Amino acid sequence: MIGLEEIRSNFFEGAENIAALDIDVWQTPFDVIHEEGPFRLIHYHNGEKRYKTPILQVYAYINRPYILDLQPDISVVRCLLEHGFDVYMIDWGYPKRIHRFIDIEDYVDYIDFCIEIVKSRVGVDKLTLHGYCLGGTLSLIYTALNPQPIKNLLVQATPVDFDNNATMTLWAKSIDVDKIADTLGCAPGDFLNLGFLSVDPIRLIIGKYTNLVEHIVEEKFLKNFLRMERWIYDSPAIPGATYKRYIKEWYQENKVIKGEFTIYDQKVDLAKIDMPTLVLAANRDHIVPPESTTPLLDKISSTDKQLMTVDRGHIGLSVSSIAHKELWPKVCQWLEQHS
Amino acid sequence: MDIASDTESIPSGETWPEAHESFVETWASFVSEQSKAFFQVWKSMMPQELGGLGGDHSETEKALTKLSEQWFTLYNDFTNAWMSFLPPGLKWPFEVWRPFEAWRIAFPKINIPALLPKEVAEYMFKANQAYQELGKSWLKYSEIASVTWSKAFERLLQKAREHAASPEAIPPTTVKGFYEFWMEIFTQEYDEALKSPEFISTQSEMLSNMMDFTKYGTGAMEMMISSIPAFPLAVRSEIDDVYKELHSMKRDIRGLSKGDREIKELSKSELDKVYKELDSLRREVRELRKKVTQRGKTVERTEVKEE
């Protein structure tokens, strides 16, 4: 912790530094393979492909997927590419009012469509599906309904059991979601963001910026801090129809784990998931606590299933140096053995 | 100064505009004091070369004071002009709104087609009501936040006292240590408060009022636009209907494309079956031909031997 005089000098010097910085995200180059409304499928440029089974990453419809490729030196995408995997990613984009009727079924349909594209491009029958956060829940729903094209399932910080004591869960259970969705059309990104920040206001609103003032003169720290800030406040809206079902049927009625959630009137039975499955959880995750993720292991029928954890938070699972030192090499090893 | 307790000191039931005037005066002095205090803090943050830390800011301060005085004069003039419509002798604060409330009830009964439709007044009234409710829930929300802050502060002091009294305890000796000590206590206190049923219900209430305000405000605007032929504009709900139709058509197309793909795949696999069948038949024919040829040769050889 620094003194007042230093804070003052850092404050002005830091402002000069920030003004001069270019905040770049999406570190690895990619091609857009397909676009439909706000959705798009991207393919990362890679060098040597050592494994035949491609990976399709399904990100959450909250926030942007470049958190998996935020910094040049710490990036999940780069880590996978460097290990010789062929990586595709679904980006759900920025839904606008015209997209307010997009439902969870449309997300699942697009995953199916993208899997077909990847299969025919690579010339394989099966691939590895990598779901992150709510993208993981979508991946589980898809896989339970269509297990055939999925060779391996990798889910990261994925909520499955929504009946927990996390602040976000308690809040979600009490809101009148119909009123919000019907009034606003889509749940605005800023509105959702405010919710995420208010969950832990002291650390996320005060603590974070105190830390910034302390290290503002260090260029690398500042750049990474601003990349993260850009990501945090780059929140897309959630289509109203999706928001309704997500809050009502996932949070309030906890239908996913109970096997009561339906897609086109078809029940999603997690026991239909029988392929090798790797579950990643962060011990200090306030948004999706481990107790929301780990019950999945008891529900699926896979015989080859594993849980890997790291002592970090929801985002730290992807962007912390600890996770990239301790967790991701093991994840890559698991994928190598299964691809 | 505690503004809440000061506004409470204005006797309710006093005739306006005296009560309103004293309310404005209280606010004016509060804002002026607060802006001065803020200015002092800001000044101390400024570098020496920009005149901070003892630099002369008297002119800026004077300008600020003048600005706030001008603002309040403007506000007073405007309010007085507007409120002078009201019948005299109304009591502060609630009676002041009574004539407007009477008009709200009267307006839909009159229902003059040349004016706006009565639904507009209804929507606007509901929006106004929601706005007032929103204000109330916002106050409750802020109160929980500030009470939590005070509680956390009390806990911090208590912990500090415990540290001082206990010979085993190691008190934070650095600023960073103290900051972490503070951070831990405040995070814990807020975590408890944010999970409390009182906070959760207040937050939900506030959100619900916010949505009502937006919904009725939008409803009033839509009704106004729809009722005036001079505005040939589609309103949001009409556009939403188009979006809904579009989305449903997109889904149909996707379903049909998927079906088409599946049929193609199916016919492809059917054809594959036929090819397979044909291939096995060919193989059978080849085998039979081979056997027939071999048998023919054997018969020929037997005939030659017999000769």
Side-chain angles (χ1 to χ4, degrees), chain B residues 101-128:
Chain B
E101 171 66 4
W103 262 105
R104 186 200 67 77
I105 298 165
F107 185 71
K109 289 181 185 169
I110 303 168
N111 197 15
I112 306 167
L115 290 176
L116 293 171
K118 64 179 179 184
E119 286 86 355
V120 174
E122 279 301 315
Y123 273 128
M124 285 179 87
F125 173 68
K126 282 182 180 167
N128 181 42

PDB file of all heavy atoms in Angstrom, chain B residues 101-128:
ATOM      1  N   GLU B 101     -54.553  15.764  -8.577  1.00  0.00           N
ATOM      2  CA  GLU B 101     -55.178  14.451  -8.428  1.00  0.00           C
ATOM      3  C   GLU B 101     -56.645  14.539  -8.874  1.00  0.00           C
ATOM      4  O   GLU B 101     -57.153  13.670  -9.579  1.00  0.00           O
ATOM      5  CB  GLU B 101     -55.057  14.023  -6.946  1.00  0.00           C
ATOM      6  CG  GLU B 101     -55.834  12.792  -6.539  1.00  0.00           C
ATOM      7  CD  GLU B 101     -55.342  11.514  -7.190  1.00  0.00           C
ATOM      8  OE1 GLU B 101     -54.334  11.563  -7.910  1.00  0.00           O
ATOM      9  OE2 GLU B 101     -56.001  10.482  -6.993  1.00  0.00           O
ATOM     10  N   ALA B 102     -57.306  15.650  -8.473  1.00  0.00           N
ATOM     11  CA  ALA B 102     -58.702  15.841  -8.876  1.00  0.00           C
ATOM     12  C   ALA B 102     -58.810  15.902 -10.392  1.00  0.00           C
ATOM     13  O   ALA B 102     -59.703  15.308 -10.993  1.00  0.00           O
ATOM     14  CB  ALA B 102     -59.231  17.123  -8.250  1.00  0.00           C
ATOM     15  N   TRP B 103     -57.879  16.578 -11.024  1.00  0.00           N
ATOM     16  CA  TRP B 103     -57.881  16.680 -12.485  1.00  0.00           C
ATOM     17  C   TRP B 103     -57.636  15.323 -13.138  1.00  0.00           C
ATOM     18  O   TRP B 103     -58.213  15.014 -14.175  1.00  0.00           O
ATOM     19  CB  TRP B 103     -56.819  17.688 -12.953  1.00  0.00           C
ATOM     20  CG  TRP B 103     -57.461  18.999 -13.206  1.00  0.00           C
ATOM     21  CD1 TRP B 103     -57.397  20.104 -12.421  1.00  0.00           C
ATOM     22  CD2 TRP B 103     -58.326  19.325 -14.295  1.00  0.00           C
ATOM     23  NE1 TRP B 103     -58.154  21.114 -12.943  1.00  0.00           N
ATOM     24  CE2 TRP B 103     -58.748  20.660 -14.098  1.00  0.00           C
ATOM     25  CE3 TRP B 103     -58.800  18.640 -15.397  1.00  0.00           C
ATOM     26  CZ2 TRP B 103     -59.597  21.313 -14.966  1.00  0.00           C
ATOM     27  CZ3 TRP B 103     -59.646  19.290 -16.270  1.00  0.00           C
ATOM     28  CH2 TRP B 103     -60.051  20.611 -16.058  1.00  0.00           C
ATOM     29  N   ARG B 104     -56.794  14.537 -12.465  1.00  0.00           N
ATOM     30  CA  ARG B 104     -56.517  13.205 -13.026  1.00  0.00           C
ATOM     31  C   ARG B 104     -57.793  12.372 -13.059  1.00  0.00           C
ATOM     32  O   ARG B 104     -58.074  11.673 -14.034  1.00  0.00           O
ATOM     33  CB  ARG B 104     -55.452  12.483 -12.191  1.00  0.00           C
ATOM     34  CG  ARG B 104     -55.032  11.183 -12.811  1.00  0.00           C
ATOM     35  CD  ARG B 104     -54.385  10.285 -11.814  1.00  0.00           C
ATOM     36  NE  ARG B 104     -55.262   9.803 -10.772  1.00  0.00           N
ATOM     37  CZ  ARG B 104     -56.151   8.830 -10.925  1.00  0.00           C
ATOM     38  NH1 ARG B 104     -56.306   8.237 -12.088  1.00  0.00           N
ATOM     39  NH2 ARG B 104     -56.899   8.437  -9.918  1.00  0.00           N
ATOM     40  N   ILE B 105     -58.578  12.482 -11.999  1.00  0.00           N
ATOM     41  CA  ILE B 105     -59.821  11.708 -11.935  1.00  0.00           C
ATOM     42  C   ILE B 105     -60.852  12.296 -12.905  1.00  0.00           C
ATOM     43  O   ILE B 105     -61.572  11.576 -13.591  1.00  0.00           O
ATOM     44  CB  ILE B 105     -60.366  11.671 -10.487  1.00  0.00           C
ATOM     45  CG1 ILE B 105     -59.336  10.975  -9.589  1.00  0.00           C
ATOM     46  CG2 ILE B 105     -61.717  10.980 -10.405  1.00  0.00           C
ATOM     47  CD1 ILE B 105     -59.557  11.186  -8.110  1.00  0.00           C
ATOM     48  N   ALA B 106     -60.864  13.628 -12.977  1.00  0.00           N
ATOM     49  CA  ALA B 106     -61.865  14.291 -13.814  1.00  0.00           C
ATOM     50  C   ALA B 106     -61.622  14.066 -15.303  1.00  0.00           C
ATOM     51  O   ALA B 106     -62.557  13.851 -16.074  1.00  0.00           O
ATOM     52  CB  ALA B 106     -61.861  15.782 -13.514  1.00  0.00           C
ATOM     53  N   PHE B 107     -60.353  14.079 -15.692  1.00  0.00           N
ATOM     54  CA  PHE B 107     -60.008  14.048 -17.120  1.00  0.00           C
ATOM     55  C   PHE B 107     -60.618  12.875 -17.898  1.00  0.00           C
ATOM     56  O   PHE B 107     -61.274  13.092 -18.930  1.00  0.00           O
ATOM     57  CB  PHE B 107     -58.486  14.078 -17.275  1.00  0.00           C
ATOM     58  CG  PHE B 107     -58.046  14.170 -18.696  1.00  0.00           C
ATOM     59  CD1 PHE B 107     -58.235  15.352 -19.411  1.00  0.00           C
ATOM     60  CD2 PHE B 107     -57.467  13.087 -19.342  1.00  0.00           C
ATOM     61  CE1 PHE B 107     -57.842  15.443 -20.732  1.00  0.00           C
ATOM     62  CE2 PHE B 107     -57.081  13.176 -20.651  1.00  0.00           C
ATOM     63  CZ  PHE B 107     -57.262  14.356 -21.348  1.00  0.00           C
ATOM     64  N   PRO B 108     -60.467  11.616 -17.410  1.00  0.00           N
ATOM     65  CA  PRO B 108     -61.059  10.511 -18.182  1.00  0.00           C
ATOM     66  C   PRO B 108     -62.574  10.613 -18.289  1.00  0.00           C
ATOM     67  O   PRO B 108     -63.160  10.120 -19.245  1.00  0.00           O
ATOM     68  CB  PRO B 108     -60.672   9.267 -17.374  1.00  0.00           C
ATOM     69  CG  PRO B 108     -59.568   9.698 -16.512  1.00  0.00           C
ATOM     70  CD  PRO B 108     -59.758  11.132 -16.243  1.00  0.00           C
ATOM     71  N   LYS B 109     -63.200  11.271 -17.308  1.00  0.00           N
ATOM     72  CA  LYS B 109     -64.660  11.386 -17.343  1.00  0.00           C
ATOM     73  C   LYS B 109     -65.095  12.341 -18.449  1.00  0.00           C
ATOM     74  O   LYS B 109     -66.145  12.171 -19.059  1.00  0.00           O
ATOM     75  CB  LYS B 109     -65.179  11.889 -15.984  1.00  0.00           C
ATOM     76  CG  LYS B 109     -65.061  10.834 -14.900  1.00  0.00           C
ATOM     77  CD  LYS B 109     -65.596  11.333 -13.602  1.00  0.00           C
ATOM     78  CE  LYS B 109     -65.339  10.298 -12.514  1.00  0.00           C
ATOM     79  NZ  LYS B 109     -65.607  10.822 -11.192  1.00  0.00           N
ATOM     80  N   ILE B 110     -64.279  13.338 -18.670  1.00  0.00           N
ATOM     81  CA  ILE B 110     -64.614  14.316 -19.718  1.00  0.00           C
ATOM     82  C   ILE B 110     -64.465  13.661 -21.102  1.00  0.00           C
ATOM     83  O   ILE B 110     -65.338  13.745 -21.942  1.00  0.00           O
ATOM     84  CB  ILE B 110     -63.729  15.582 -19.604  1.00  0.00           C
ATOM     85  CG1 ILE B 110     -63.895  16.192 -18.211  1.00  0.00           C
ATOM     86  CG2 ILE B 110     -64.094  16.587 -20.679  1.00  0.00           C
ATOM     87  CD1 ILE B 110     -62.885  17.256 -17.890  1.00  0.00           C
ATOM     88  N   ASN B 111     -63.341  12.966 -21.269  1.00  0.00           N
ATOM     89  CA  ASN B 111     -63.077  12.226 -22.503  1.00  0.00           C
ATOM     90  C   ASN B 111     -63.363  13.025 -23.767  1.00  0.00           C
ATOM     91  O   ASN B 111     -64.242  12.683 -24.562  1.00  0.00           O
ATOM     92  CB  ASN B 111     -63.894  10.916 -22.492  1.00  0.00           C
ATOM     93  CG  ASN B 111     -63.352   9.944 -23.523  1.00  0.00           C
ATOM     94  OD1 ASN B 111     -62.238  10.136 -24.011  1.00  0.00           O
ATOM     95  ND2 ASN B 111     -64.125   8.936 -23.863  1.00  0.00           N
ATOM     96  N   ILE B 112     -62.632  14.091 -23.950  1.00  0.00           N
ATOM     97  CA  ILE B 112     -62.829  14.924 -25.145  1.00  0.00           C
ATOM     98  C   ILE B 112     -61.994  14.315 -26.287  1.00  0.00           C
ATOM     99  O   ILE B 112     -60.777  14.221 -26.169  1.00  0.00           O
ATOM    100  CB  ILE B 112     -62.372  16.376 -24.891  1.00  0.00           C
ATOM    101  CG1 ILE B 112     -63.083  16.905 -23.641  1.00  0.00           C
ATOM    102  CG2 ILE B 112     -62.643  17.263 -26.097  1.00  0.00           C
ATOM    103  CD1 ILE B 112     -62.501  18.186 -23.107  1.00  0.00           C
ATOM    104  N   PRO B 113     -62.651  13.879 -27.348  1.00  0.00           N
ATOM    105  CA  PRO B 113     -61.890  13.207 -28.404  1.00  0.00           C
ATOM    106  C   PRO B 113     -60.816  14.098 -29.026  1.00  0.00           C
ATOM    107  O   PRO B 113     -59.797  13.617 -29.485  1.00  0.00           O
ATOM    108  CB  PRO B 113     -62.951  12.828 -29.434  1.00  0.00           C
ATOM    109  CG  PRO B 113     -64.259  13.130 -28.816  1.00  0.00           C
ATOM    110  CD  PRO B 113     -64.056  14.023 -27.666  1.00  0.00           C
ATOM    111  N   ALA B 114     -61.049  15.407 -29.020  1.00  0.00           N
ATOM    112  CA  ALA B 114     -60.049  16.297 -29.627  1.00  0.00           C
ATOM    113  C   ALA B 114     -58.770  16.322 -28.807  1.00  0.00           C
ATOM    114  O   ALA B 114     -57.696  16.603 -29.309  1.00  0.00           O
ATOM    115  CB  ALA B 114     -60.613  17.698 -29.729  1.00  0.00           C
ATOM    116  N   LEU B 115     -58.930  16.014 -27.513  1.00  0.00           N
ATOM    117  CA  LEU B 115     -57.731  15.955 -26.659  1.00  0.00           C
ATOM    118  C   LEU B 115     -57.161  14.524 -26.714  1.00  0.00           C
ATOM    119  O   LEU B 115     -57.608  13.692 -27.505  1.00  0.00           O
ATOM    120  CB  LEU B 115     -58.091  16.323 -25.225  1.00  0.00           C
ATOM    121  CG  LEU B 115     -58.457  17.792 -25.005  1.00  0.00           C
ATOM    122  CD1 LEU B 115     -58.895  17.990 -23.572  1.00  0.00           C
ATOM    123  CD2 LEU B 115     -57.293  18.706 -25.329  1.00  0.00           C
ATOM    124  N   LEU B 116     -56.240  14.248 -25.865  1.00  0.00           N
ATOM    125  CA  LEU B 116     -55.644  12.904 -25.863  1.00  0.00           C
ATOM    126  C   LEU B 116     -56.621  11.882 -25.293  1.00  0.00           C
ATOM    127  O   LEU B 116     -57.463  12.236 -24.461  1.00  0.00           O
ATOM    128  CB  LEU B 116     -54.371  12.926 -25.020  1.00  0.00           C
ATOM    129  CG  LEU B 116     -53.247  13.757 -25.596  1.00  0.00           C
ATOM    130  CD1 LEU B 116     -52.139  13.870 -24.580  1.00  0.00           C
ATOM    131  CD2 LEU B 116     -52.723  13.128 -26.877  1.00  0.00           C
ATOM    132  N   PRO B 117     -56.529  10.615 -25.707  1.00  0.00           N
ATOM    133  CA  PRO B 117     -57.432   9.618 -25.164  1.00  0.00           C
ATOM    134  C   PRO B 117     -57.235   9.449 -23.658  1.00  0.00           C
ATOM    135  O   PRO B 117     -56.140   9.697 -23.133  1.00  0.00           O
ATOM    136  CB  PRO B 117     -57.045   8.335 -25.893  1.00  0.00           C
ATOM    137  CG  PRO B 117     -55.818   8.630 -26.626  1.00  0.00           C
ATOM    138  CD  PRO B 117     -55.599  10.080 -26.679  1.00  0.00           C
ATOM    139  N   LYS B 118     -58.296   9.000 -22.979  1.00  0.00           N
ATOM    140  CA  LYS B 118     -58.227   8.918 -21.516  1.00  0.00           C
ATOM    141  C   LYS B 118     -57.175   7.911 -21.052  1.00  0.00           C
ATOM    142  O   LYS B 118     -56.637   8.021 -19.966  1.00  0.00           O
ATOM    143  CB  LYS B 118     -59.592   8.576 -20.940  1.00  0.00           C
ATOM    144  CG  LYS B 118     -60.127   7.223 -21.335  1.00  0.00           C
ATOM    145  CD  LYS B 118     -61.464   6.992 -20.695  1.00  0.00           C
ATOM    146  CE  LYS B 118     -61.999   5.636 -21.117  1.00  0.00           C
ATOM    147  NZ  LYS B 118     -63.328   5.405 -20.613  1.00  0.00           N
ATOM    148  N   GLU B 119     -56.856   6.924 -21.911  1.00  0.00           N
ATOM    149  CA  GLU B 119     -55.841   5.929 -21.518  1.00  0.00           C
ATOM    150  C   GLU B 119     -54.479   6.594 -21.274  1.00  0.00           C
ATOM    151  O   GLU B 119     -53.693   6.124 -20.468  1.00  0.00           O
ATOM    152  CB  GLU B 119     -55.668   4.854 -22.597  1.00  0.00           C
ATOM    153  CG  GLU B 119     -56.791   3.853 -22.685  1.00  0.00           C
ATOM    154  CD  GLU B 119     -57.928   4.335 -23.565  1.00  0.00           C
ATOM    155  OE1 GLU B 119     -57.866   5.496 -24.032  1.00  0.00           O
ATOM    156  OE2 GLU B 119     -58.884   3.566 -23.765  1.00  0.00           O
ATOM    157  N   VAL B 120     -54.242   7.695 -22.002  1.00  0.00           N
ATOM    158  CA  VAL B 120     -52.959   8.384 -21.821  1.00  0.00           C
ATOM    159  C   VAL B 120     -52.862   8.886 -20.378  1.00  0.00           C
ATOM    160  O   VAL B 120     -51.836   8.701 -19.720  1.00  0.00           O
ATOM    161  CB  VAL B 120     -52.810   9.555 -22.824  1.00  0.00           C
ATOM    162  CG1 VAL B 120     -51.555  10.359 -22.550  1.00  0.00           C
ATOM    163  CG2 VAL B 120     -52.788   9.024 -24.241  1.00  0.00           C
ATOM    164  N   ALA B 121     -53.952   9.500 -19.922  1.00  0.00           N
ATOM    165  CA  ALA B 121     -53.957  10.011 -18.542  1.00  0.00           C
ATOM    166  C   ALA B 121     -53.788   8.866 -17.557  1.00  0.00           C
ATOM    167  O   ALA B 121     -53.045   8.986 -16.579  1.00  0.00           O
ATOM    168  CB  ALA B 121     -55.259  10.741 -18.276  1.00  0.00           C
ATOM    169  N   GLU B 122     -54.460   7.751 -17.843  1.00  0.00           N
ATOM    170  CA  GLU B 122     -54.353   6.588 -16.966  1.00  0.00           C
ATOM    171  C   GLU B 122     -52.912   6.085 -16.907  1.00  0.00           C
ATOM    172  O   GLU B 122     -52.369   5.841 -15.835  1.00  0.00           O
ATOM    173  CB  GLU B 122     -55.251   5.453 -17.478  1.00  0.00           C
ATOM    174  CG  GLU B 122     -56.710   5.608 -17.095  1.00  0.00           C
ATOM    175  CD  GLU B 122     -56.923   5.678 -15.587  1.00  0.00           C
ATOM    176  OE1 GLU B 122     -56.343   4.877 -14.843  1.00  0.00           O
ATOM    177  OE2 GLU B 122     -57.657   6.585 -15.179  1.00  0.00           O
ATOM    178  N   TYR B 123     -52.315   5.952 -18.087  1.00  0.00           N
ATOM    179  CA  TYR B 123     -50.920   5.489 -18.152  1.00  0.00           C
ATOM    180  C   TYR B 123     -49.992   6.455 -17.414  1.00  0.00           C
ATOM    181  O   TYR B 123     -49.109   6.039 -16.671  1.00  0.00           O
ATOM    182  CB  TYR B 123     -50.459   5.366 -19.608  1.00  0.00           C
ATOM    183  CG  TYR B 123     -50.778   4.033 -20.240  1.00  0.00           C
ATOM    184  CD1 TYR B 123     -51.439   3.958 -21.463  1.00  0.00           C
ATOM    185  CD2 TYR B 123     -50.382   2.839 -19.645  1.00  0.00           C
ATOM    186  CE1 TYR B 123     -51.714   2.736 -22.064  1.00  0.00           C
ATOM    187  CE2 TYR B 123     -50.659   1.617 -20.233  1.00  0.00           C
ATOM    188  CZ  TYR B 123     -51.327   1.573 -21.441  1.00  0.00           C
ATOM    189  OH  TYR B 123     -51.593   0.369 -22.020  1.00  0.00           O
ATOM    190  N   MET B 124     -50.226   7.750 -17.650  1.00  0.00           N
ATOM    191  CA  MET B 124     -49.341   8.735 -17.036  1.00  0.00           C
ATOM    192  C   MET B 124     -49.499   8.731 -15.519  1.00  0.00           C
ATOM    193  O   MET B 124     -48.518   8.859 -14.793  1.00  0.00           O
ATOM    194  CB  MET B 124     -49.602  10.119 -17.617  1.00  0.00           C
ATOM    195  CG  MET B 124     -49.008  10.206 -19.010  1.00  0.00           C
ATOM    196  SD  MET B 124     -49.275  11.764 -19.786  1.00  0.00           S
ATOM    197  CE  MET B 124     -47.912  12.689 -19.215  1.00  0.00           C
ATOM    198  N   PHE B 125     -50.730   8.530 -15.076  1.00  0.00           N
ATOM    199  CA  PHE B 125     -50.961   8.468 -13.639  1.00  0.00           C
ATOM    200  C   PHE B 125     -50.237   7.252 -13.057  1.00  0.00           C
ATOM    201  O   PHE B 125     -49.561   7.344 -12.022  1.00  0.00           O
ATOM    202  CB  PHE B 125     -52.466   8.404 -13.358  1.00  0.00           C
ATOM    203  CG  PHE B 125     -52.762   8.164 -11.898  1.00  0.00           C
ATOM    204  CD1 PHE B 125     -52.465   9.137 -10.953  1.00  0.00           C
ATOM    205  CD2 PHE B 125     -53.317   6.965 -11.478  1.00  0.00           C
ATOM    206  CE1 PHE B 125     -52.724   8.915  -9.614  1.00  0.00           C
ATOM    207  CE2 PHE B 125     -53.571   6.741 -10.129  1.00  0.00           C
ATOM    208  CZ  PHE B 125     -53.277   7.726  -9.196  1.00  0.00           C
ATOM    209  N   LYS B 126     -50.387   6.116 -13.740  1.00  0.00           N
ATOM    210  CA  LYS B 126     -49.732   4.900 -13.244  1.00  0.00           C
ATOM    211  C   LYS B 126     -48.209   5.058 -13.253  1.00  0.00           C
ATOM    212  O   LYS B 126     -47.517   4.583 -12.352  1.00  0.00           O
ATOM    213  CB  LYS B 126     -50.136   3.701 -14.102  1.00  0.00           C
ATOM    214  CG  LYS B 126     -51.517   3.186 -13.748  1.00  0.00           C
ATOM    215  CD  LYS B 126     -51.867   1.989 -14.569  1.00  0.00           C
ATOM    216  CE  LYS B 126     -53.243   1.475 -14.215  1.00  0.00           C
ATOM    217  NZ  LYS B 126     -53.739   0.512 -15.185  1.00  0.00           N
ATOM    218  N   ALA B 127     -47.709   5.723 -14.324  1.00  0.00           N
ATOM    219  CA  ALA B 127     -46.257   5.949 -14.404  1.00  0.00           C
ATOM    220  C   ALA B 127     -45.806   6.820 -13.241  1.00  0.00           C
ATOM    221  O   ALA B 127     -44.775   6.553 -12.609  1.00  0.00           O
ATOM    222  CB  ALA B 127     -45.904   6.605 -15.735  1.00  0.00           C
ATOM    223  N   ASN B 128     -46.616   7.836 -12.939  1.00  0.00           N
ATOM    224  CA  ASN B 128     -46.285   8.739 -11.843  1.00  0.00           C
ATOM    225  C   ASN B 128     -46.297   7.994 -10.510  1.00  0.00           C
ATOM    226  O   ASN B 128     -45.408   8.163  -9.674  1.00  0.00           O
ATOM    227  CB  ASN B 128     -47.283   9.907 -11.845  1.00  0.00           C
ATOM    228  CG  ASN B 128     -46.977  10.895 -10.743  1.00  0.00           C
ATOM    229  OD1 ASN B 128     -45.823  11.223 -10.509  1.00  0.00           O
ATOM    230  ND2 ASN B 128     -48.000  11.341 -10.051  1.00  0.00           N
TER     231      ASN B 128
END
